[in-house]
């Protein structure tokens, strides 16, 4: 099971550690956070105790209104479940009673200056990506006109060279050679790099280049949603090349189907230009436009 440590979260969001500093290596394995408002009121059915617990103004203000005895009971009922940590938002103060219980139970108590809504959004996105199921495949990942594309093909077919041409046209590299695919929801896959190859592109006969150093920061982005799977293959005369519309094909990654297109290579073909056309055509289809439907309507009008 994938996990991140409390220290990873502290470092990522520059959190202040108020208590439990000796337990920062504890693991977080759940991708969403929880606000224990109902639990402070005494309702514990469906308590997501294995999640990071967020304490906003409503929770802290409620605790402030209680007597010392009531407050101790309410806090004690929650900490006995040993959640991974508590995060107090908006730099709220008056937390000595929380610090006492967290120290006793070995639960990190953290604090951020961010608002509750903003911090929950940030940490939910972070945990969703860090804890997402992932696979690594051989290929290149690029972003073309804002469209995330996985570029595949046999070794030596020209994936990295094609990516280099696309970068020269103003598009962005995400990953070369090893592409990390993360399933961040039942319908969405993100492509990224493995860290070691960040910003690097391997070109045969030249070697490694750093695209950000050569072409500027806009030549690289850290991740992209994968919406197209393009495979570069050798030209085959037996395959028809003048279809009005190809039958939809898909490649499945972690139970998610991604539209799959093959581009055949031949000397003189503008492969990068064809990939740009594929990206733009996908975008138009998402907007409800089909060039084939448009053509057929024109034909019908001519017949009439």
């Amino acid at each position: 099971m994938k996990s991140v440590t409390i220290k990873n979260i502290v470092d990522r969001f520059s959190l202040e550690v108020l208590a439990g500093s000796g337990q920062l290596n504890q693991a977080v394995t759940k991708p969403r956070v929880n606000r224990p408002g109902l639990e402070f009121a005494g309702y514990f059915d469906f308590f997501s105790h294995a999640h990071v617990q967020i304490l906003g103004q409503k929770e802290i203000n409620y605790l402030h209104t209680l007597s010392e005895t009531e407050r101790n009971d309410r806090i004690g009922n929650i900490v006995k479940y040993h959640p991974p940590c508590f995060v107090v938002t908006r730099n709220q103060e008056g937390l000595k009673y929380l610090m006492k219980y967290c120290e006793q139970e070995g639960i990190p108590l953290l604090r951020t200056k961010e608002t509750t809504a903003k911090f929950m959004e940030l940490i939910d996105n972070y945990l969703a990506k860090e804890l997402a199921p992932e696979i690594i495949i051989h290929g290149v990942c690029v972003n073309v006109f804002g469209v995330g594309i996985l570029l595949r093909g046999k070794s030596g077919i020209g994936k990295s060279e094609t990516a280099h041409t696309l970068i020269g046209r103003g598009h962005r590299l995400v990953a070369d050679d090893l592409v990390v695919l993360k399933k961040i929801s039942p319908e969405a896959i993100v492509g990224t790099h493995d860290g070691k190859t960040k910003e690097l592109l391997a070109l045969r006969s030249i070697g490694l280049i750093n695209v950000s150093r050569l072409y500027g920061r806009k030549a690289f982005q850290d991740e992209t949603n994968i919406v197209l799977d393009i495979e570069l293959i050798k030209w085959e005369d037996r395959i028809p090349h003048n279809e009005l519309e190809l039958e939809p094909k898909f490649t499945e990654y972690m139970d998610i189907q991604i539209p799959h297109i093959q581009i055949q290579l031949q000397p003189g073909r503008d492969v990068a230009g064809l990939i740009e056309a594929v990206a733009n055509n996908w975008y138009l289809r998402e907007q409800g436009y089909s060039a084939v439907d448009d053509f057929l309507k024109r034909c019908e009008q001519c017949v009439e």
Side-chain angles (χ1 to χ4, degrees), residues 114-282:
E114 299 291 352
T115 64
T116 306
K118 182 175 181 181
F119 183 74
M120 289 180 67
E121 179 183 2
L122 291 172
I123 192 171
D124 273 344
N125 289 337
Y126 169 75
L127 292 175
K129 291 174 183 176
E130 290 299 314
L131 301 178
E134 67 179 46
I135 59 174
I136 298 177
I137 67 166
H138 176 68
V140 176
C141 184
V142 290
N143 185 283
V144 178
F145 296 129
V147 177
I149 295 175
L150 186 61
L151 196 58
R152 297 187 298 111
K154 293 183 178 179
S155 181
I157 198 135
K159 300 182 295 296
S160 297
E161 289 80 0
T162 300
H164 181 256
T165 302
L166 288 167
I167 292 168
R169 296 185 179 191
H171 306 297
R172 296 177 175 181
L173 174 71
V174 177
D176 180 44
D177 192 30
L178 297 178
V179 181
V180 179
L181 299 181
K182 296 189 175 187
K183 182 179 179 180
I184 60 171
S185 79
E187 298 85 25
I189 287 181
V190 163
T192 186
H193 51 83
D194 65 356
K196 298 187 293 293
T197 59
K198 180 180 180 179
E199 302 176 330
L200 300 179
L201 183 67
L203 299 174
R204 291 178 183 271
S205 304
I206 296 176
L208 283 177
I209 64 169
N210 185 309
V211 299
S212 295
R213 295 292 184 92
L214 282 180
Y215 301 108
R217 290 178 295 173
K218 290 184 177 180
F220 172 82
Q221 71 180 57
D222 205 52
E223 62 183 35
T224 187
N225 287 336
I226 300 294
V227 297
L228 288 171
D229 178 73
I230 297 179
E231 182 183 9
L232 302 183
I233 62 174
K234 293 182 178 180
W235 184 276
E236 295 185 38
D237 291 330
R238 63 181 178 82
I239 298 178
H241 306 290
N242 59 348
E243 306 93 329
L244 279 180
E245 187 168 35
L246 295 172
E247 181 182 347
K249 295 182 180 179
F250 300 89
T251 304
E252 189 172 284
Y253 298 107
M254 294 178 285
D255 300 322
I256 296 179
Q257 290 193 327
I258 304 296
H260 171 76
I261 295 172
Q262 289 182 330
I263 294 181
Q264 297 190 55
L265 306 182
Q266 192 180 49
R269 289 200 100 190
D270 181 8
V271 179
L274 292 174
I275 291 173
E276 289 178 326
V278 169
N280 279 326
N281 199 47
W282 174 87

